[in-house]
Amino acid sequence: MKIVTVDDHALIREGLKAILMSLEERPTILEAADGASLKELLAKDSDLDLILLDVQLPDCDGLELLAELVRTHIRVPVIVLSAEHETETITRALQIGAVGFVPKTSINKVLISAIRLVLAGGIYVPPEAVLQGRSASRSEAAAVHSDSAGEARAAVAPDERGHHRSNRPLAALTERQWEVLWLLLEGLSNKQICRALDLAEATVKVHVRAILRELGARSRAEAIVVAGRIGIQRPIHPKPQ
């Protein structure tokens, strides 16, 4: 397994290397100090399993580099690392094509868990992205005039099963699609959802497309953030009772 760390600080790269060596499958660690050196590395060896990309690089914007990586090396998953963890930055990274976003303030175990999830085909979204979005939604609702406050709350308040009221977003989802949504919010890949629900992969893809359409999201990662913003929490048990 080959993992590339992209950061302009040698100390950070050394720290990441030490963390990555705690993975069960000891990876080969390649390093790049900036965008140019990463491109040179990819030109020589594109057989990579994962890229850990800092968004603040000395020679380019990390998110613009991410967009280029997605266009030219789309099969290599990218986890973004950043000292900034505002919801807007996280959402933009996920919209561009990152399969994970890990704030640099995270502890080592969080990074390892995120890497394991991504390598298994999942998507890692930091909890603060969902919590910030949920908090913003509550603040917006509180700012609405009292005459329309009830309507504003109805737009985000789930019923006892986590479903939104019938005249609100996601009402078009079927019971099965809600089951798929719960698992999607846990970061599971299509194949993992297939196994969990005993469905064909083509069927799961149809359900995922329907969920993305209802959420107005362009990717699974963005769907997780959007779900958090409108008040849908990751359940303890993914499958509704």
Side-chain angles (χ1 to χ4, degrees), residues 130-131 133-134 137-138 155-159 161-165 168-171 173 177-178 181-186 211 214-215 223-235 238:
V130 177
L131 293 174
R134 192 175 300 142
S137 294
R138 286 197 293 264
V156 298
D159 63 20
R161 300 171 66 185
H163 296 204
H164 277 58
R165 294 185 175 91
R168 295 301 172 186
L170 304 186
L173 295 185
Q177 287 166 349
W178 274 101
L181 174 58
W182 290 147
L183 297 175
L184 187 152
L185 294 181
E186 292 297 313
I211 291 167
E214 287 297 309
L215 287 171
I224 294 173
V225 176
V226 173
R229 284 178 174 173
I230 63 177
I232 300 176
Q233 301 182 19
R234 301 185 190 199

Side-chain angles (χ1 to χ4, degrees), residues 34-228:
D34 52 31
S37 55
L38 174 61
K39 292 176 185 178
E40 290 179 7
L41 189 155
L42 289 170
K44 297 176 182 177
D45 184 1
S46 60
D47 183 22
L48 306 172
D49 294 284
L50 181 66
I51 296 174
L52 301 181
L53 176 67
D54 183 21
V55 295
Q56 296 180 328
L57 297 173
D59 62 342
C60 65
D61 178 275
L63 294 183
E64 291 181 2
L65 177 59
L66 170 63
E68 184 176 345
L69 292 176
V70 170
R71 288 194 302 269
T72 58
H73 299 277
I74 195 167
R75 294 187 178 182
V76 182
V78 178
I79 293 178
V80 169
L81 307 178
S82 177
E84 299 179 11
H85 49 87
E86 294 298 322
T87 303
E88 293 76 10
T89 303
I90 298 172
T91 301
R92 185 182 170 206
L94 297 173
Q95 287 175 336
I96 291 172
V99 292
F101 189 106
V102 179
K104 287 187 173 180
T105 53
S106 303
I107 61 176
N108 295 357
K109 289 182 179 179
V110 170
L111 177 58
I112 289 296
S113 296
I115 291 172
R116 287 174 179 154
L117 179 62
V118 167
L119 291 177
I123 297 169
Y124 180 79
V125 178
E128 51 262 49
V130 177
L131 293 174
Q132 287 176 14
R134 192 175 300 142
S135 176
S137 294
R138 286 197 293 264
S139 298
E140 290 172 3
V144 177
H145 191 274
S146 59
D147 289 343
S148 58
E151 181 179 356
R153 285 193 296 272
V156 298
D159 63 20
E160 67 276 4
R161 300 171 66 185
H163 296 204
H164 277 58
R165 294 185 175 91
S166 61
N167 63 337
R168 295 301 172 186
L170 304 186
L173 295 185
T174 65
E175 198 69 25
R176 177 63 82 184
Q177 287 166 349
W178 274 101
E179 293 176 333
V180 172
L181 174 58
W182 290 147
L183 297 175
L184 187 152
L185 294 181
E186 292 297 313
L188 271 64
S189 66
N190 283 352
K191 290 184 179 179
Q192 291 170 318
I193 294 175
C194 289
R195 290 194 292 269
L197 299 179
D198 193 23
L199 296 174
E201 188 168 4
T203 302
V204 171
K205 288 180 179 179
V206 170
H207 289 326
V208 170
R209 284 197 295 269
I211 291 167
L212 296 184
R213 183 170 60 250
E214 287 297 309
L215 287 171
R218 291 177 290 182
S219 68
R220 300 161 66 91
E222 186 181 358
I224 294 173
V225 176
V226 173

Side-chain angles (χ1 to χ4, degrees), residues 21-44:
M21 293 309 291
S22 67
L23 288 167
E24 291 82 358
E25 182 181 349
R26 292 297 179 89
T28 298
I29 310 298
L30 306 176
E31 299 181 16
D34 52 31
S37 55
L38 174 61
K39 292 176 185 178
E40 290 179 7
L41 189 155
L42 289 170
K44 297 176 182 177

